[in-house]
Amino acid sequence: MKKIFSPLIFSLGILLSAQTSGPFTTANEHTETVDSRNAAMVLDFTIDQDAFVNQCISQVNVDNIANTIVTLENYGTRFHTKPSGVQASHDIKNWWQALVDDAGRTDISVEEFNHGFTNQVSVIVTIPGSVSPDEIVVIGGHLDCGDYWIQDFAPGADDNASGIATLTETLRILLANNFHPKKTVQIMGYAAEEIGLYGSADIAETYKNQSKNVLAVLQLDMTNYKGSSFDTAINNDGAYTSAELNLFLIDLLEHYNSSGDHIITYGFSKCNYACSDHASWTQNGFNASFTMESAFEDSNPNIHTTNDTFAAMGNDASHSAKFVKIALEFVIEIAKSSNLSTADLNAPKLQIAIDQRDLVYRFDNFNGQLDSVVIFGSDGQKIKSVEKPDNNGKISMKSVPAGAYVAIFKDSNGKNFSKKFLLK
Ligand code: BES
Ligand code: ZN
């Protein structure tokens, strides 16, 4: 079902219920059928799995990531036509299957997706949802490397052994924490990206033809080279990524990675072309995002050469570790754990509504003090900020143009609360 947030109906609900218990009782009435993508669905994504997410992101092991990168680099080439490239795709299937088997998880499948145009396979891990199995969250990256000119000697450590290593470590941690999602999670290694996104295009097209309900896709392609002053660049090219899903990424990064042990700084960048597999999903009508290792112009200069090695990245996988955290946050917050801890049930909750172009907000279970509210657009531009706001109140959006935004509330202890919203 395709839905979009309708402030009109929402506001009407607010007005009608205002006499009884205020604007927040009607939050389920804000959907109607319009858009070709699940924009309202994405804007409805919440962040409320703090205890479980923090437990998981504390377990990222840099050595595991390093080992996977080196193991993949040692195939010499993973170009889709080369025997070592075909072998690598089967081996990745077997490694992921072994992780699943070691965890004793017979409910999780690991499958090869065969393509008519190549012997290299894509690999898909499916962790079935317990409540809404038809709703799917995808994280993926390509497992091949090389390009038309360099088929034999590009070892592809960053492009994209690092992405496969990021996915592998994400899977390991989800299994180690006995993750049983409410929605279905799929982890994908795509074949034959380097010849024009062939593997992911085949999968995304198949999913579209089968009317699969993919809610959100995160692309992990090149995660281990830190070329910019910030840690990751959200690809904000509106032709190939979803502005709404990008807002959710900002939301996650502000919530989990704004300070402390898990800090991840971010900026924005564009490839300005269909540079990776997220474009396959976008072109088939799904919401996809791609957060990159750096700004496009600062990215690893060695890709598609013999020098794309782990050694050239200083034999250090710590940059990729940040992307494991982002992938864990993305998967857990969209798919939601089936067993929420009491810590999360009792956590402070922020609720917002748009009423007459005012952003109305309220906190439940909150005994802190707000320090600031900042509103960002999906390009990362700061739209508005308010210092020392009341804990419950409203902020005028009357001068703000129509669009998708995220409001980030910080309390005096530096804790962040954020929500996305749409202005019409
Ligand atoms: N990993 C690259 C894309 C990339 C490059 C992302 C730099 C971020 C920064 C990908 O494997 C690739 O090589 N893509 C091709 C295009 C594709 C359609 C064959 C490219 O960029 O030329
Ligand atoms: Zn490439």
Side-chain angles (χ1 to χ4, degrees):
M1 228 247 293
K2 327 278 175 164
K3 297 186 287 185
I4 194 161
F5 186 87
S6 163
L8 189 70
I9 296 179
F10 194 20
S11 306
L12 203 65
I14 289 168
L15 285 178
L16 292 175
S17 66
Q19 302 97 317
T20 51
S21 44
F24 299 100
T25 52
T26 54
N28 293 325
E29 296 179 22
H30 63 261
T31 52
E32 71 180 45
T33 304
V34 191
D35 204 0
S36 62
R37 283 195 247 157
N38 287 325
M41 196 73 109
V42 172
L43 289 167
D44 287 344
F45 289 171
T46 54
I47 299 182
D48 55 16
Q49 310 275 304
D50 292 66
F52 190 64
V53 168
N54 280 312
Q55 172 182 318
C56 289
I57 65 179
S58 301
Q59 296 174 20
V60 179
N61 182 318
V62 182
D63 294 335
N64 289 341
I65 304 170
N67 283 335
T68 308
I69 293 176
V70 170
T71 304
L72 286 168
E73 178 182 328
N74 287 340
Y75 283 78
T77 177
R78 300 183 307 282
F79 194 73
H80 78 107
T81 58
K82 301 290 171 186
S84 58
V86 176
Q87 188 60 49
S89 67
H90 295 304
D91 291 349
I92 290 166
K93 191 256 175 192
N94 291 330
W95 301 338
W96 287 355
Q97 183 71 62
L99 286 176
V100 168
D101 291 346
D102 286 350
R105 289 288 294 267
T106 51
D107 59 319
I108 300 177
S109 69
V110 184
E111 286 163 329
E112 297 190 343
F113 188 108
N114 292 294
H115 304 286
F117 46 83
T118 180
N119 289 329
Q120 190 173 60
V121 296
S122 294
V123 184
I124 303 180
V125 179
T126 303
I127 313 178
S130 62
V131 177
S132 313
D134 295 342
E135 298 182 344
I136 304 170
V137 186
V138 173
I139 55 173
H142 66 93
L143 52 79
D144 65 326
C145 67
D147 66 15
Y148 181 80
W149 303 107
I150 177 150
Q151 304 189 351
D152 280 315
F153 311 110
D158 194 27
D159 184 13
N160 184 31
S162 67
I164 296 299
T166 300
L167 294 168
T168 304
E169 180 64 358
T170 302
L171 174 61
R172 184 194 69 80
I173 293 170
L174 291 174
L175 294 168
N177 292 278
N178 197 23
F179 181 49
H180 282 81
K182 290 186 177 171
K183 298 173 181 170
T184 294
V185 173
Q186 295 199 310
I187 300 176
M188 301 194 180
Y190 306 114
E193 184 266 1
E194 298 284 9
I195 54 165
L197 320 179
Y198 276 43
S200 58
D202 197 11
I203 294 173
E205 211 176 293
T206 303
Y207 275 41
K208 183 180 137 188
N209 292 339
Q210 296 175 348
S211 302
K212 290 209 181 180
N213 187 9
V214 177
L215 302 179
V217 180
L218 180 66
Q219 176 68 5
L220 295 156
D221 183 5
M222 300 166 59
T223 62
N224 200 45
Y225 178 85
K226 186 177 189 299
S228 295
S229 55
F230 43 79
D231 294 320
T232 187
I234 297 174
N235 185 322
N236 62 353
D237 186 337
Y240 304 108
T241 68
S242 156
E244 291 81 18
L245 195 58
N246 289 343
L247 275 180
F248 181 64
L249 274 183
I250 297 172
D251 216 343
L252 288 173
L253 289 162
E254 290 287 345
H255 187 90
Y256 286 114
N257 313 107
S258 65
S259 61
D261 285 353
H262 303 304
I263 190 163
I264 301 174
T265 56
Y266 64 93
F268 296 86
S269 184
K270 295 177 172 65
C271 298
N272 283 315
Y273 62 98
C275 61
S276 191
D277 303 296
H278 59 291
S280 296
W281 292 101
T282 305
Q283 280 159 0
N284 283 287
F286 299 105
N287 285 295
S289 285
F290 175 25
T291 196
M292 308 194 288
E293 64 183 8
S294 67
F296 180 69
E297 57 277 13
D298 302 331
S299 62
N300 193 330
N302 292 324
I303 67 165
H304 304 181
T305 76
T306 50
N307 296 326
D308 184 5
T309 61
F310 191 54
M313 298 185 286
N315 294 312
D316 177 3
S318 54
H319 201 55
S320 290
K322 296 166 192 155
F323 292 79
V324 176
K325 294 178 184 179
I326 296 171
L328 287 165
E329 293 161 14
F330 187 89
V331 159
I332 296 166
E333 288 292 0
I334 300 176
K336 304 296 184 192
S337 175
S338 297
N339 6 318
L340 201 57
S341 73
T342 48
D344 284 335
L345 286 171
N346 297 329
K349 293 255 164 11
L350 163 65
Q351 302 206 56
I352 66 166
I354 303 296
D355 185 13
Q356 320 269 332
R357 280 193 151 251
D358 283 335
L359 172 72
V360 185
Y361 63 91
R362 189 184 88 190
F363 280 89
D364 294 331
N365 295 327
F366 180 57
N367 39 33
Q369 184 57 54
L370 283 185
D371 213 38
S372 64
V373 186
V374 184
I375 316 280
F376 289 101
S378 59
D379 276 7
Q381 77 278 25
K382 198 189 267 189
I383 302 294
K384 223 176 173 56
S385 68
V386 181
E387 295 299 316
K388 308 273 172 215
D390 291 337
N391 279 0
N392 297 307
K394 55 182 164 184
I395 299 165
S396 174
M397 293 290 137
K398 296 201 170 52
S399 59
V400 178
Y405 300 93
V406 60
I408 296 160
F409 296 74
K410 259 191 216 312
D411 75 7
S412 51
N413 297 318
K415 193 168 160 39
N416 279 10
F417 303 86
S418 51
K419 281 265 191 243
K420 302 163 297 304
F421 61 95
L422 199 66
L423 284 180
K424 279 209 166 165

